[in-house]
Amino acid sequence: MWDDAFPSFLIGLREGLEAGLIVSVLIATLVRSGARARLPQVWTGVLAAISLALSFGAVLTFTAASLSGTAQEAFGGALSVVAVGFVTAMVFWMRRSARTFSGEIREKVTGALGMGAGMLIVTSFLAVGREGLETALFLWTTARAAGESTGPLTGAGTGLLLAAGLCWGLYRRVLHINLTRFFTATGAVLVVIAAGVLGYGLRDLQEGGVLPGGTSYAVDLGGSVDAGAWYSTLVQGVFNLTPTMTWLQVAGYVCYLAIVMTLFLRSAPGRTTGPAAKERETKSERPAVRRRPAWVVPVAVVAVPAALAGVAVTLGGSRPAGAQTVAVSETDCGKGFTAPKPGRRTFQMHNTGDKTSEVYLVDPGTDAVYGEVEGLAPGTTRALTATVGGGTYAWRCVPSTGKAVTSRAVRVTGGGGSTAAVVPVSAADLAAPLTSYKAYVDRGLATLVTQTRRLSDDVRDGRLGAARTDWLTAHRTYASLGAAYGTFQDYDQKIDGRPDGLPGGVHDKDFSGFLRVEYGLWHGESASELAAPARQLAADAAGLRKAFPTQDFDPGDLPLRAHEILENTLQFELTGDADQGSGTELATADANLTGTRELLTVLRPLLTSRAPHLPPTVDSDLARLQKLLDSARHGGSWTPVDRLDAATRARLNGATGQLLEDLAPVPDLLEIRKSA
């Protein structure tokens, strides 16, 4: 749940900030100008945008609508450009008003607001509407990918609440500053934000096929800047600047910023054309006009999108517009499949057979997988969504028993390339890497048996100084076999179990293994007190080596371990949670890195053939982390984690996190698929 919540939290914070900054300025302006009566106009626009976003989300949810990627981008880009136009007009209006009416600001600005209710409603609507539509689309696709909605909704709600809090702080601050300076300062900030929105909109229009130059990049820092880091999220969320930008984006951003900011800073004060008395009408001179109730417009802006959404749901049914229904069975796979148009497409997979099946959208020439549905039960229908580009496509159905069946192939032209397909891996493909790795583990266990016996002998003979040295050597050997943890079964708890959860903690009778001996060696226990735990450790190591050849080792676990070893390192070693007094957490982390490197060595041929760019990237990450760990080693001793300065510790965590991020695709790339 929580891993699904984090991306939605970022998008909620990002989109909420963009919309909230503009709305905060509008509200503060009206309050400061004594025009509180106009606040309902702003809130009406905000309410209309929220209603539109919720209604759009309802249409997506209840009709499972699948808009093409190009249509989404073109729509969002067009709305962004329109929003920039309205924001720019509002900025110049604020600037002109502030400089013109500095003396009698309360009365004059109220008069200047006679530009009309429509401007305030439309500006607030566009500020929130664009972000609301993007958020609705993002949450819908995230929930679809995650298979659940609780995490994405929780993350987005948290992000929006935080954004609202930040904007409230801004609102409270601007109410206490000089109005003329406020107009100038906030106007300049809005010009910068609008420049980013324009660049963002131009990129959307390029990706939507409306504007050219979508692959002509002026800036490409994707390889050196972490787009997921907090600073990248902050810059992108506030200024819409991304590590990769096209020439058109850069040109639009720079030209808009240079021209509009120059005009904004040079804009001369406006002049009144006549006395205010001539422009005012007394209440007795105004014609009697029947005013409509104040609730009519807010109710209308909520009801109209909701009604339209209801019509769309009713007419659209439960099937996405343009979705194909594809029948699958153990004898006839892909019935009803025709060449789809390029773009984001959803297929309704209906199992007409008698057996549960795995269903794959594949390239029949290479067997590469574009999308899959697992465990499609007889008589059921499930959606499969994939991005279709130029290429050849076919369906492959793999029943629970029986042979795989492949449909006829169709050719799709135009639309550029499709999403990256994954060449499937079979159990046979992982057989050789598994054999190599088991041999590595077996050699390591043989060494471990010798080292733990030496450690036990040291303790028995009272050589506790030597025992500390031999303890670290043996523990590093065990840690370097991390990928095999899943097959060590109960031996892992005996050999390297932590005292967490034991009733007696470090003094519990069931606390054993390396960490028990570590606690005693570094907390002043005598040789006689440590003799039994050390002897038991040696016996358990020997028992593990004897049992290992007969234990099951699922080949599908190999790709998972590429990520899991260092996840444990980040959770335990780099936090110091596993330390029992030796201060050698970084030595263990170094051994974990050795185990990860060995695992990647046996998997490298499979990774290289499926993602050629990945091994060099991971190699660079490994070298970076290794260098940081080496700097903490001083001969036979290591700097304890809690003695590292904050900057070094942050670099270690950052390097480990980056390596984990780059290793994240490995399990999916090397997942055993029945279509292989």
Side-chain angles (χ1 to χ4, degrees), residues 136-175:
L137 282 170
F138 181 89
L139 288 178
W140 183 76
T141 53
T142 300
R144 295 268 293 182
E148 56 99 12
S149 59
T150 303
L153 289 177
T154 302
T158 304
L160 289 170
L161 286 175
L162 179 57
L166 293 174
C167 292
W168 172 253
L170 173 66
Y171 168 76
R172 297 297 299 174
R173 178 176 177 81
V174 297
L175 286 178

mmCIF file of all heavy atoms in Angstrom, residues 136-175:
data_model
loop_
_atom_site.group_PDB
_atom_site.id
_atom_site.type_symbol
_atom_site.label_atom_id
_atom_site.label_comp_id
_atom_site.label_asym_id
_atom_site.label_seq_id
_atom_site.Cartn_x
_atom_site.Cartn_y
_atom_site.Cartn_z
ATOM 1 N N ALA A 136 -6.582 13.412 -11.524
ATOM 2 C CA ALA A 136 -7.561 12.339 -11.717
ATOM 3 C C ALA A 136 -7.002 11.259 -12.635
ATOM 4 O O ALA A 136 -7.134 10.062 -12.358
ATOM 5 C CB ALA A 136 -8.850 12.918 -12.301
ATOM 6 N N LEU A 137 -6.369 11.675 -13.730
ATOM 7 C CA LEU A 137 -5.784 10.705 -14.649
ATOM 8 C C LEU A 137 -4.663 9.910 -13.985
ATOM 9 O O LEU A 137 -4.568 8.691 -14.117
ATOM 10 C CB LEU A 137 -5.234 11.419 -15.900
ATOM 11 C CG LEU A 137 -6.267 11.846 -16.947
ATOM 12 C CD1 LEU A 137 -5.614 12.740 -17.989
ATOM 13 C CD2 LEU A 137 -6.883 10.634 -17.614
ATOM 14 N N PHE A 138 -3.823 10.625 -13.241
ATOM 15 C CA PHE A 138 -2.686 9.962 -12.595
ATOM 16 C C PHE A 138 -3.162 8.938 -11.569
ATOM 17 O O PHE A 138 -2.682 7.803 -11.532
ATOM 18 C CB PHE A 138 -1.798 11.009 -11.927
ATOM 19 C CG PHE A 138 -0.580 10.428 -11.262
ATOM 20 C CD1 PHE A 138 0.590 10.265 -11.969
ATOM 21 C CD2 PHE A 138 -0.610 10.042 -9.933
ATOM 22 C CE1 PHE A 138 1.707 9.720 -11.359
ATOM 23 C CE2 PHE A 138 0.495 9.499 -9.315
ATOM 24 C CZ PHE A 138 1.655 9.345 -10.039
ATOM 25 N N LEU A 139 -4.110 9.337 -10.740
ATOM 26 C CA LEU A 139 -4.601 8.418 -9.715
ATOM 27 C C LEU A 139 -5.280 7.204 -10.334
ATOM 28 O O LEU A 139 -5.132 6.083 -9.853
ATOM 29 C CB LEU A 139 -5.586 9.141 -8.789
ATOM 30 C CG LEU A 139 -4.986 10.169 -7.829
ATOM 31 C CD1 LEU A 139 -6.086 10.829 -7.029
ATOM 32 C CD2 LEU A 139 -3.976 9.509 -6.906
ATOM 33 N N TRP A 140 -6.022 7.420 -11.397
ATOM 34 C CA TRP A 140 -6.715 6.305 -12.037
ATOM 35 C C TRP A 140 -5.729 5.296 -12.605
ATOM 36 O O TRP A 140 -5.846 4.096 -12.387
ATOM 37 C CB TRP A 140 -7.618 6.839 -13.142
ATOM 38 C CG TRP A 140 -8.435 5.784 -13.806
ATOM 39 C CD1 TRP A 140 -9.548 5.159 -13.318
ATOM 40 C CD2 TRP A 140 -8.195 5.213 -15.094
ATOM 41 N NE1 TRP A 140 -10.024 4.239 -14.222
ATOM 42 C CE2 TRP A 140 -9.208 4.253 -15.322
ATOM 43 C CE3 TRP A 140 -7.247 5.424 -16.082
ATOM 44 C CZ2 TRP A 140 -9.278 3.508 -16.497
ATOM 45 C CZ3 TRP A 140 -7.309 4.689 -17.249
ATOM 46 C CH2 TRP A 140 -8.312 3.739 -17.448
ATOM 47 N N THR A 141 -4.709 5.802 -13.321
ATOM 48 C CA THR A 141 -3.727 4.883 -13.912
ATOM 49 C C THR A 141 -2.872 4.230 -12.831
ATOM 50 O O THR A 141 -2.506 3.062 -12.942
ATOM 51 C CB THR A 141 -2.822 5.625 -14.910
ATOM 52 O OG1 THR A 141 -2.240 6.769 -14.272
ATOM 53 C CG2 THR A 141 -3.624 6.106 -16.105
ATOM 54 N N THR A 142 -2.549 4.965 -11.756
ATOM 55 C CA THR A 142 -1.754 4.390 -10.675
ATOM 56 C C THR A 142 -2.525 3.280 -9.964
ATOM 57 O O THR A 142 -1.983 2.217 -9.659
ATOM 58 C CB THR A 142 -1.364 5.473 -9.654
ATOM 59 O OG1 THR A 142 -0.603 6.473 -10.309
ATOM 60 C CG2 THR A 142 -0.537 4.879 -8.521
ATOM 61 N N ALA A 143 -3.812 3.536 -9.695
ATOM 62 C CA ALA A 143 -4.629 2.523 -9.034
ATOM 63 C C ALA A 143 -4.782 1.286 -9.909
ATOM 64 O O ALA A 143 -4.760 0.156 -9.423
ATOM 65 C CB ALA A 143 -6.005 3.101 -8.694
ATOM 66 N N ARG A 144 -4.909 1.508 -11.219
ATOM 67 C CA ARG A 144 -5.020 0.375 -12.139
ATOM 68 C C ARG A 144 -3.741 -0.457 -12.116
ATOM 69 O O ARG A 144 -3.775 -1.687 -12.094
ATOM 70 C CB ARG A 144 -5.269 0.883 -13.560
ATOM 71 C CG ARG A 144 -6.587 1.585 -13.755
ATOM 72 C CD ARG A 144 -7.672 0.654 -14.207
ATOM 73 N NE ARG A 144 -7.402 0.150 -15.537
ATOM 74 C CZ ARG A 144 -8.202 -0.649 -16.205
ATOM 75 N NH1 ARG A 144 -9.330 -1.042 -15.653
ATOM 76 N NH2 ARG A 144 -7.900 -1.069 -17.417
ATOM 77 N N ALA A 145 -2.599 0.222 -12.125
ATOM 78 C CA ALA A 145 -1.321 -0.492 -12.136
ATOM 79 C C ALA A 145 -1.067 -1.202 -10.818
ATOM 80 O O ALA A 145 -0.516 -2.300 -10.784
ATOM 81 C CB ALA A 145 -0.179 0.473 -12.439
ATOM 82 N N ALA A 146 -1.489 -0.567 -9.700
ATOM 83 C CA ALA A 146 -1.236 -1.148 -8.379
ATOM 84 C C ALA A 146 -2.230 -2.242 -8.028
ATOM 85 O O ALA A 146 -1.975 -3.065 -7.153
ATOM 86 C CB ALA A 146 -1.276 -0.059 -7.308
ATOM 87 N N GLY A 147 -3.373 -2.239 -8.689
ATOM 88 C CA GLY A 147 -4.397 -3.218 -8.366
ATOM 89 C C GLY A 147 -5.201 -2.875 -7.120
ATOM 90 O O GLY A 147 -5.989 -3.676 -6.625
ATOM 91 N N GLU A 148 -5.017 -1.670 -6.566
ATOM 92 C CA GLU A 148 -5.773 -1.226 -5.397
ATOM 93 C C GLU A 148 -5.768 0.292 -5.382
ATOM 94 O O GLU A 148 -4.930 0.933 -5.997
ATOM 95 C CB GLU A 148 -5.158 -1.776 -4.109
ATOM 96 C CG GLU A 148 -3.697 -1.439 -3.908
ATOM 97 C CD GLU A 148 -3.493 -0.257 -2.982
ATOM 98 O OE1 GLU A 148 -4.459 0.149 -2.329
ATOM 99 O OE2 GLU A 148 -2.373 0.268 -2.936
ATOM 100 N N SER A 149 -6.753 0.872 -4.701
ATOM 101 C CA SER A 149 -6.913 2.328 -4.722
ATOM 102 C C SER A 149 -6.598 2.989 -3.390
ATOM 103 O O SER A 149 -6.425 4.208 -3.338
ATOM 104 C CB SER A 149 -8.350 2.686 -5.132
ATOM 105 O OG SER A 149 -9.289 2.113 -4.237
ATOM 106 N N THR A 150 -6.510 2.224 -2.309
ATOM 107 C CA THR A 150 -6.297 2.818 -0.990
ATOM 108 C C THR A 150 -4.979 3.575 -0.919
ATOM 109 O O THR A 150 -4.925 4.729 -0.466
ATOM 110 C CB THR A 150 -6.331 1.726 0.096
ATOM 111 O OG1 THR A 150 -7.571 1.039 0.026
ATOM 112 C CG2 THR A 150 -6.173 2.355 1.475
ATOM 113 N N GLY A 151 -3.885 2.939 -1.359
ATOM 114 C CA GLY A 151 -2.580 3.583 -1.308
ATOM 115 C C GLY A 151 -2.517 4.857 -2.123
ATOM 116 O O GLY A 151 -2.147 5.927 -1.607
ATOM 117 N N PRO A 152 -2.866 4.820 -3.433
ATOM 118 C CA PRO A 152 -2.822 6.044 -4.238
ATOM 119 C C PRO A 152 -3.702 7.164 -3.689
ATOM 120 O O PRO A 152 -3.296 8.326 -3.669
ATOM 121 C CB PRO A 152 -3.297 5.567 -5.615
ATOM 122 C CG PRO A 152 -2.912 4.134 -5.676
ATOM 123 C CD PRO A 152 -3.108 3.623 -4.280
ATOM 124 N N LEU A 153 -4.917 6.837 -3.236
ATOM 125 C CA LEU A 153 -5.807 7.872 -2.715
ATOM 126 C C LEU A 153 -5.272 8.465 -1.417
ATOM 127 O O LEU A 153 -5.352 9.678 -1.191
ATOM 128 C CB LEU A 153 -7.203 7.293 -2.493
ATOM 129 C CG LEU A 153 -8.008 6.973 -3.759
ATOM 130 C CD1 LEU A 153 -9.339 6.333 -3.396
ATOM 131 C CD2 LEU A 153 -8.241 8.236 -4.586
ATOM 132 N N THR A 154 -4.720 7.607 -0.556
ATOM 133 C CA THR A 154 -4.132 8.104 0.696
ATOM 134 C C THR A 154 -2.953 9.024 0.414
ATOM 135 O O THR A 154 -2.832 10.103 1.012
ATOM 136 C CB THR A 154 -3.678 6.930 1.576
ATOM 137 O OG1 THR A 154 -4.792 6.083 1.856
ATOM 138 C CG2 THR A 154 -3.075 7.434 2.877
ATOM 139 N N GLY A 155 -2.073 8.607 -0.491
ATOM 140 C CA GLY A 155 -0.918 9.436 -0.835
ATOM 141 C C GLY A 155 -1.322 10.763 -1.434
ATOM 142 O O GLY A 155 -0.804 11.827 -1.054
ATOM 143 N N ALA A 156 -2.264 10.739 -2.381
ATOM 144 C CA ALA A 156 -2.699 11.980 -3.023
ATOM 145 C C ALA A 156 -3.384 12.908 -2.026
ATOM 146 O O ALA A 156 -3.157 14.128 -2.032
ATOM 147 C CB ALA A 156 -3.639 11.669 -4.181
ATOM 148 N N GLY A 157 -4.218 12.338 -1.149
ATOM 149 C CA GLY A 157 -4.890 13.161 -0.148
ATOM 150 C C GLY A 157 -3.908 13.837 0.788
ATOM 151 O O GLY A 157 -4.048 15.024 1.112
ATOM 152 N N THR A 158 -2.872 13.095 1.196
ATOM 153 C CA THR A 158 -1.842 13.677 2.066
ATOM 154 C C THR A 158 -1.100 14.799 1.359
ATOM 155 O O THR A 158 -0.839 15.866 1.931
ATOM 156 C CB THR A 158 -0.856 12.589 2.512
ATOM 157 O OG1 THR A 158 -1.562 11.527 3.142
ATOM 158 C CG2 THR A 158 0.176 13.165 3.479
ATOM 159 N N GLY A 159 -0.745 14.571 0.097
ATOM 160 C CA GLY A 159 -0.046 15.598 -0.666
ATOM 161 C C GLY A 159 -0.881 16.847 -0.853
ATOM 162 O O GLY A 159 -0.386 17.976 -0.717
ATOM 163 N N LEU A 160 -2.176 16.680 -1.151
ATOM 164 C CA LEU A 160 -3.056 17.833 -1.330
ATOM 165 C C LEU A 160 -3.239 18.603 -0.026
ATOM 166 O O LEU A 160 -3.280 19.840 -0.023
ATOM 167 C CB LEU A 160 -4.403 17.365 -1.870
ATOM 168 C CG LEU A 160 -4.398 16.872 -3.325
ATOM 169 C CD1 LEU A 160 -5.733 16.221 -3.658
ATOM 170 C CD2 LEU A 160 -4.110 18.016 -4.289
ATOM 171 N N LEU A 161 -3.347 17.877 1.105
ATOM 172 C CA LEU A 161 -3.478 18.556 2.391
ATOM 173 C C LEU A 161 -2.223 19.356 2.720
ATOM 174 O O LEU A 161 -2.301 20.488 3.209
ATOM 175 C CB LEU A 161 -3.751 17.532 3.495
ATOM 176 C CG LEU A 161 -5.159 16.925 3.520
ATOM 177 C CD1 LEU A 161 -5.243 15.848 4.596
ATOM 178 C CD2 LEU A 161 -6.211 18.004 3.772
ATOM 179 N N LEU A 162 -1.051 18.786 2.439
ATOM 180 C CA LEU A 162 0.192 19.508 2.686
ATOM 181 C C LEU A 162 0.283 20.741 1.794
ATOM 182 O O LEU A 162 0.686 21.821 2.242
ATOM 183 C CB LEU A 162 1.387 18.586 2.444
ATOM 184 C CG LEU A 162 2.771 19.214 2.644
ATOM 185 C CD1 LEU A 162 2.907 19.789 4.054
ATOM 186 C CD2 LEU A 162 3.868 18.175 2.391
ATOM 187 N N ALA A 163 -0.098 20.593 0.522
ATOM 188 C CA ALA A 163 -0.090 21.735 -0.392
ATOM 189 C C ALA A 163 -1.034 22.827 0.102
ATOM 190 O O ALA A 163 -0.712 24.025 0.053
ATOM 191 C CB ALA A 163 -0.478 21.284 -1.794
ATOM 192 N N ALA A 164 -2.217 22.428 0.597
ATOM 193 C CA ALA A 164 -3.171 23.404 1.117
ATOM 194 C C ALA A 164 -2.593 24.140 2.319
ATOM 195 O O ALA A 164 -2.763 25.358 2.469
ATOM 196 C CB ALA A 164 -4.478 22.702 1.489
ATOM 197 N N GLY A 165 -1.890 23.395 3.180
ATOM 198 C CA GLY A 165 -1.262 24.037 4.327
ATOM 199 C C GLY A 165 -0.204 25.046 3.931
ATOM 200 O O GLY A 165 -0.116 26.150 4.488
ATOM 201 N N LEU A 166 0.610 24.702 2.945
ATOM 202 C CA LEU A 166 1.634 25.625 2.471
ATOM 203 C C LEU A 166 1.006 26.875 1.861
ATOM 204 O O LEU A 166 1.476 27.996 2.081
ATOM 205 C CB LEU A 166 2.524 24.919 1.442
ATOM 206 C CG LEU A 166 3.390 23.779 1.975
ATOM 207 C CD1 LEU A 166 4.111 23.080 0.822
ATOM 208 C CD2 LEU A 166 4.418 24.305 2.971
ATOM 209 N N CYS A 167 -0.043 26.676 1.090
ATOM 210 C CA CYS A 167 -0.703 27.824 0.467
ATOM 211 C C CYS A 167 -1.397 28.696 1.515
ATOM 212 O O CYS A 167 -1.454 29.923 1.375
ATOM 213 C CB CYS A 167 -1.705 27.341 -0.581
ATOM 214 S SG CYS A 167 -0.926 26.588 -2.028
ATOM 215 N N TRP A 168 -1.924 28.072 2.555
ATOM 216 C CA TRP A 168 -2.522 28.853 3.637
ATOM 217 C C TRP A 168 -1.466 29.721 4.306
ATOM 218 O O TRP A 168 -1.718 30.881 4.634
ATOM 219 C CB TRP A 168 -3.165 27.929 4.655
ATOM 220 C CG TRP A 168 -3.641 28.630 5.905
ATOM 221 C CD1 TRP A 168 -3.093 28.583 7.147
ATOM 222 C CD2 TRP A 168 -4.757 29.513 6.003
ATOM 223 N NE1 TRP A 168 -3.791 29.366 8.020
ATOM 224 C CE2 TRP A 168 -4.824 29.958 7.346
ATOM 225 C CE3 TRP A 168 -5.704 29.981 5.093
ATOM 226 C CZ2 TRP A 168 -5.801 30.841 7.795
ATOM 227 C CZ3 TRP A 168 -6.679 30.855 5.543
ATOM 228 C CH2 TRP A 168 -6.725 31.280 6.876
ATOM 229 N N GLY A 169 -0.268 29.138 4.507
ATOM 230 C CA GLY A 169 0.810 29.941 5.065
ATOM 231 C C GLY A 169 1.155 31.126 4.179
ATOM 232 O O GLY A 169 1.398 32.240 4.652
ATOM 233 N N LEU A 170 1.187 30.895 2.876
ATOM 234 C CA LEU A 170 1.438 31.985 1.934
ATOM 235 C C LEU A 170 0.348 33.044 2.048
ATOM 236 O O LEU A 170 0.609 34.242 2.091
ATOM 237 C CB LEU A 170 1.490 31.437 0.502
ATOM 238 C CG LEU A 170 1.577 32.479 -0.619
ATOM 239 C CD1 LEU A 170 2.896 33.226 -0.540
ATOM 240 C CD2 LEU A 170 1.427 31.819 -1.979
ATOM 241 N N TYR A 171 -0.872 32.591 2.107
ATOM 242 C CA TYR A 171 -2.006 33.508 2.212
ATOM 243 C C TYR A 171 -1.907 34.375 3.470
ATOM 244 O O TYR A 171 -2.092 35.591 3.422
ATOM 245 C CB TYR A 171 -3.287 32.695 2.217
ATOM 246 C CG TYR A 171 -4.523 33.473 2.613
ATOM 247 C CD1 TYR A 171 -5.116 34.362 1.724
ATOM 248 C CD2 TYR A 171 -5.091 33.300 3.876
ATOM 249 C CE1 TYR A 171 -6.243 35.074 2.082
ATOM 250 C CE2 TYR A 171 -6.222 34.008 4.239
ATOM 251 C CZ TYR A 171 -6.806 34.903 3.342
ATOM 252 O OH TYR A 171 -7.918 35.596 3.701
ATOM 253 N N ARG A 172 -1.585 33.754 4.571
ATOM 254 C CA ARG A 172 -1.479 34.513 5.812
ATOM 255 C C ARG A 172 -0.342 35.513 5.762
ATOM 256 O O ARG A 172 -0.442 36.603 6.309
ATOM 257 C CB ARG A 172 -1.268 33.555 6.987
ATOM 258 C CG ARG A 172 -2.420 32.608 7.230
ATOM 259 C CD ARG A 172 -3.682 33.340 7.610
ATOM 260 N NE ARG A 172 -3.514 34.110 8.841
ATOM 261 C CZ ARG A 172 -4.425 34.935 9.333
ATOM 262 N NH1 ARG A 172 -5.555 35.133 8.679
ATOM 263 N NH2 ARG A 172 -4.210 35.578 10.461
ATOM 264 N N ARG A 173 0.729 35.172 5.069
ATOM 265 C CA ARG A 173 1.886 36.068 4.997
ATOM 266 C C ARG A 173 1.593 37.278 4.115
ATOM 267 O O ARG A 173 1.886 38.411 4.488
ATOM 268 C CB ARG A 173 3.105 35.321 4.466
ATOM 269 C CG ARG A 173 4.334 36.201 4.324
ATOM 270 C CD ARG A 173 5.548 35.396 3.880
ATOM 271 N NE ARG A 173 6.698 36.255 3.682
ATOM 272 C CZ ARG A 173 7.476 36.693 4.659
ATOM 273 N NH1 ARG A 173 7.216 36.345 5.903
ATOM 274 N NH2 ARG A 173 8.513 37.466 4.406
ATOM 275 N N VAL A 174 0.994 37.054 2.966
ATOM 276 C CA VAL A 174 0.799 38.169 2.049
ATOM 277 C C VAL A 174 -0.223 39.160 2.580
ATOM 278 O O VAL A 174 -0.280 40.302 2.130
ATOM 279 C CB VAL A 174 0.368 37.674 0.647
ATOM 280 C CG1 VAL A 174 1.445 36.838 0.025
ATOM 281 C CG2 VAL A 174 -0.935 36.914 0.691
ATOM 282 N N LEU A 175 -1.058 38.753 3.503
ATOM 283 C CA LEU A 175 -2.026 39.683 4.056
ATOM 284 C C LEU A 175 -1.366 40.765 4.907
ATOM 285 O O LEU A 175 -1.990 41.769 5.216
ATOM 286 C CB LEU A 175 -3.061 38.936 4.900
ATOM 287 C CG LEU A 175 -4.104 38.137 4.123
ATOM 288 C CD1 LEU A 175 -5.031 37.419 5.083
ATOM 289 C CD2 LEU A 175 -4.902 39.043 3.203
#
